[in-house]
Amino acid sequence: MAFFEESKLRELLSTHNAKSFEEYIQKYDESMVTVMRARGYQCIHSMERTVAFTFGEFTFKRRRWKKGSEWVVPVDEMLGLQKNVRFSWEFMYQIADLATIMPYAKVVRVIEMTKGIHITKPTVVKAVKLCTQLIQERADYRFYEDDSEIEKKKVNVIYIEGDGVMIKAKSKESDNNHFDFSHFVVHTGSQKIGSNRFELQDKQEFISLDNRQTREQVLDYLHNHFDIDDNTVLITNSDGGHGYTPYVFREIAKALKVNRHEHFWDEYHVKQKLNAFFKPYPEELLEQAYQAIYQHDKHALRLVLDTTESLLATEAELEVFQLFKKKLLQNFQYTKPAPLRGFSHAGIGVMETQHRKVTYRMKHRGMYWTMQGAETMTQMILLVDKGELYNLFLGSWRDEYVKYESLENQSISDWLKEDQNPSRLPQAKTRGLFTTLRN
C-alpha cells in the first residue's frame, strides 16, 4: 500500500500561498501610489522584507516613501508590522500563548511542526519579555481609562479564596531559591453548565509576589465592580497560612463594610491535617474526628483528642499532639460546614483547582525561573485562562494608550528585533532586560 506524502502537497500549497500573498501585496502597494503622491510623499525605492506570519513565512517587496525626514511604508502599516521586526504581532501572540502551556524548547518544535517556520528559543523568550512590557503598559493605561462607564453588579454573595504558590526562582537580591506567590480568587458562585461540569461566575484572579499588594488589588476590584450593601454576604476560604489567616479576611470584610462574613478553614487542608496526624492511631479515631467536624460538635472532638492523648508514648509525640490540638481547637469555628450555616457548599474550596494551571506550567520537571520571568508567566497564565491574552497584544487599548503616553524606554520594535532570518538557525544571542533560565 502506497502512503500519501502530505509533505509534497504542503510544499505545493505553500508555493501557491506565497504567490497569492505576493499578488495581494503588489495590488495594495500599487493602490497606494496615487494616495501617497497626493499626500506629498516621494517614492524613494522598493525593498524586500521577510516576515513570519501566523499563516506562513513570506518574502515580499514594497515601496518606501519619504516626505522631509518622515519615512512611510504603507504595506508595513497595513500589515501591522513593526520596524526591523521579522515576526508579525499576532505570530508573537501565538508564541506567547504556547509558552504558557509548554517549555520554550517545545514551543520551538510545535511552531516548526505545525507552521513549518523555524524559530529559536530566544524568540520565545522575546515573546514573554514583550508580555512583560505590555502588562506594564496595560496597567499604566488603566490610569487613563474612564471608570465611570463600569456598571457595578449587584450580587447576594461574594466568594474570596487565597493561598500561596511556591515557585523555584532565582533573584540577585536574595539567596532564597523558592518564592511564595500570593494567589487570590474572587467569584460570585458556582453554576452548573453541563451534566457534570460547574463554572465559577464572575471569576477574577490576582497573583503577585506581594501578598499585601494582591489583597489591595482584590479590594480595588470589588469596590469598582460590585454594588455591596447590607444584604451582601462575604464568604472566604483559606488554609490559614501566613497572609491568609481569618484576621486577613476579616480586614477585607471590614473594608467592604459587609454585615455578614463567613470564613472557612479550607476543608481540603483540614482533611489533610487530620489524615496526617491520626495515621499512627486506630482508624476509629480518625472517623470520630471527621464526624465531630461534620456535626460541628466541639465536645465530641475534645473526647477524640483526649482518647488520642492517652495513647501517646513519647515526649516527641506529646509535643506534636499539643501543637495539633491547639491549632484545631483555635480554628474550630471555621470548620463549621456550609449547610449548618444556612447555605450550599458549592463554590467553596476552589483554590486547589485554580492553582493547577499555574503549578502545571511552572513547577516540577526541574523548572527554574528568573523573578521577572516568573512574575510575567503567572500573569500570562491568568490572562490565557480569562481569554484576555489576545486583547493584551491586539486590543484597541494600545492605540488609545499611545494617545496618552509615549514610550519612555525601549520601543516595542527594539524588543522584537532579530539578527537572523526566522528560517535560519545560527547560534542566537540572548538579549533583553533579563535572561530566562532553564524552564
Side-chain angles (χ1 to χ4, degrees):
M1 178 180 176
F3 289 97
F4 175 68
E5 295 185 45
E6 287 190 27
S7 58
K8 291 183 178 180
L9 181 57
R10 184 178 64 192
E11 291 175 8
L12 180 63
L13 292 173
S14 178
T15 302
H16 175 76
N17 289 340
K19 184 177 180 181
S20 298
F21 182 76
E22 184 178 359
E23 290 174 353
Y24 172 75
I25 294 300
Q26 287 177 353
K27 184 177 180 180
Y28 181 82
D29 207 19
E30 287 290 341
S31 72
M32 291 299 295
V33 171
T34 305
V35 176
M36 297 305 293
R37 285 175 179 168
R39 293 174 180 173
Y41 288 88
Q42 181 182 359
C43 182
I44 304 302
H45 53 229
S46 293
M47 291 186 66
E48 277 193 347
R49 183 174 187 178
T50 300
V51 179
F53 298 91
T54 58
F55 48 85
E57 183 183 346
F58 302 96
T59 299
F60 53 94
K61 291 182 70 173
R62 75 276 192 262
R63 291 179 176 87
R64 301 180 79 237
W65 300 78
K66 188 178 182 183
K67 181 170 70 172
S69 60
E70 181 186 3
W71 286 87
V72 177
V73 186
V75 168
D76 290 1
E77 289 186 353
M78 181 270 292
L79 294 172
L81 300 177
Q82 301 290 323
K83 185 180 179 182
N84 300 323
V85 175
R86 296 188 179 273
F87 304 98
S88 75
W89 200 251
E90 191 158 351
F91 186 68
M92 294 301 285
Y93 151 71
Q94 289 192 355
I95 292 174
D97 195 314
L98 287 171
T100 65
I101 58 175
M102 63 183 71
Y104 298 168
K106 289 188 177 180
V107 174
V108 173
R109 289 178 58 191
V110 168
I111 291 293
E112 182 173 359
M113 181 179 294
T114 58
K115 298 182 181 294
I117 299 174
H118 299 288
I119 64 172
T120 61
K121 185 176 175 180
T123 304
V124 186
V125 174
K126 289 176 189 295
V128 176
K129 289 181 184 178
L130 178 57
C131 283
T132 303
Q133 183 159 337
L134 290 174
I135 289 169
Q136 182 58 57
E137 288 181 10
R138 186 70 181 91
D140 293 341
Y141 173 66
R142 287 195 174 97
F143 286 104
Y144 302 110
E145 284 185 297
D146 184 7
D147 291 335
S148 62
E149 295 183 2
I150 300 177
E151 185 177 350
K152 292 187 177 182
K153 187 172 184 178
K154 188 174 182 62
V155 293
N156 296 324
V157 184
I158 296 174
Y159 298 78
I160 305 176
E161 297 199 19
D163 195 11
V165 184
M166 194 67 68
I167 296 173
K168 291 182 180 179
K170 193 170 184 179
S171 171
K172 293 180 180 179
E173 290 76 28
S174 174
D175 294 330
N176 182 21
N177 288 329
H178 291 80
F179 292 86
D180 192 24
F181 280 75
S182 183
H183 188 189
F184 282 82
V185 176
V186 175
H187 65 93
T188 58
S190 177
Q191 182 175 323
K192 193 172 184 178
I193 59 173
S195 56
N196 291 312
R197 188 165 170 240
F198 290 83
E199 183 177 76
L200 299 180
Q201 302 300 296
D202 305 308
K203 186 183 76 168
Q204 191 75 13
E205 294 182 72
F206 307 85
I207 189 167
S208 76
L209 271 171
D210 190 323
N211 180 274
R212 182 176 295 276
Q213 175 185 313
T214 313
R215 297 193 327 249
E216 289 174 355
Q217 290 174 351
V218 170
L219 276 173
D220 183 62
Y221 170 76
L222 292 172
H223 278 304
N224 290 327
H225 291 81
F226 294 98
D227 182 10
I228 300 172
D229 58 24
D230 293 343
N231 298 316
T232 306
V233 178
L234 178 66
I235 298 175
T236 60
N237 184 76
S238 73
D239 65 356
H242 182 68
Y244 313 96
T245 62
Y247 171 78
V248 165
F249 291 96
R250 281 199 299 271
E251 288 298 298
I252 292 176
K254 185 178 178 181
L256 294 174
K257 298 179 180 179
V258 296
N259 287 336
R260 184 181 179 187
H261 169 217
E262 298 284 349
H263 181 72
F264 287 83
W265 186 6
D266 185 63
E267 183 180 349
Y268 173 80
H269 287 89
V270 172
K271 286 182 177 179
Q272 271 192 329
K273 291 185 180 298
L274 290 174
N275 290 339
F277 176 77
F278 284 104
K279 189 174 181 180
Y281 305 107
E283 188 174 338
E284 292 79 5
L285 290 175
L286 176 60
E287 293 176 358
Q288 291 171 14
Y290 274 147
Q291 192 70 16
I293 294 291
Y294 292 146
Q295 295 178 354
H296 199 61
D297 188 337
K298 196 171 186 177
H299 176 69
L301 183 62
R302 285 185 181 278
L303 290 177
V304 174
L305 293 172
D306 290 343
T307 303
T308 306
E309 187 173 11
S310 68
L311 301 176
L312 303 179
T314 66
E315 287 294 325
E317 284 184 306
L318 179 61
E319 184 177 351
V320 171
F321 169 80
Q322 289 175 338
L323 289 173
F324 173 77
K325 177 181 178 180
K326 181 180 179 181
K327 184 167 186 177
L328 187 60
L329 293 178
Q330 279 183 344
N331 293 281
F332 181 75
Q333 60 179 308
Y334 306 117
T335 66
K336 187 175 182 179
L340 296 182
R341 305 194 200 194
F343 48 85
S344 168
H345 190 272
I348 304 173
V350 303
M351 201 71 237
E352 291 302 316
T353 303
Q354 301 306 313
H355 270 338
R356 201 166 298 148
K357 55 182 171 286
V358 176
T359 58
Y360 177 79
R361 174 64 182 94
M362 302 190 68
K363 295 183 71 171
H364 316 303
R365 302 193 295 271
M367 291 184 180
Y368 263 95
W369 302 82
T370 61
M371 285 307 304
Q372 192 167 8
E375 288 190 271
T376 298
M377 184 55 66
T378 55
Q379 297 299 325
M380 289 171 63
I381 290 170
L382 296 191
L383 286 169
V384 169
D385 185 64
K386 291 186 290 184
E388 294 181 4
L389 186 64
Y390 183 87
N391 183 65
L392 181 71
F393 275 82
L394 298 151
S396 61
W397 72 269
R398 293 218 72 250
D399 292 332
E400 297 169 10
Y401 172 74
V402 171
K403 297 175 185 177
Y404 299 112
E405 190 84 3
S406 59
L407 295 175
E408 296 179 358
N409 301 316
Q410 268 185 304
S411 68
I412 292 294
S413 297
D414 292 333
W415 282 88
L416 296 177
K417 284 180 184 176
E418 283 283 343
D419 291 334
Q420 76 276 5
N421 186 296
S423 286
R424 297 173 188 166
L425 296 171
Q427 288 293 323
K429 298 178 182 179
T430 302
R431 305 190 299 271
L433 299 181
F434 62 94
T435 302
T436 302
L437 301 180
R438 178 165 59 93
N439 65 81

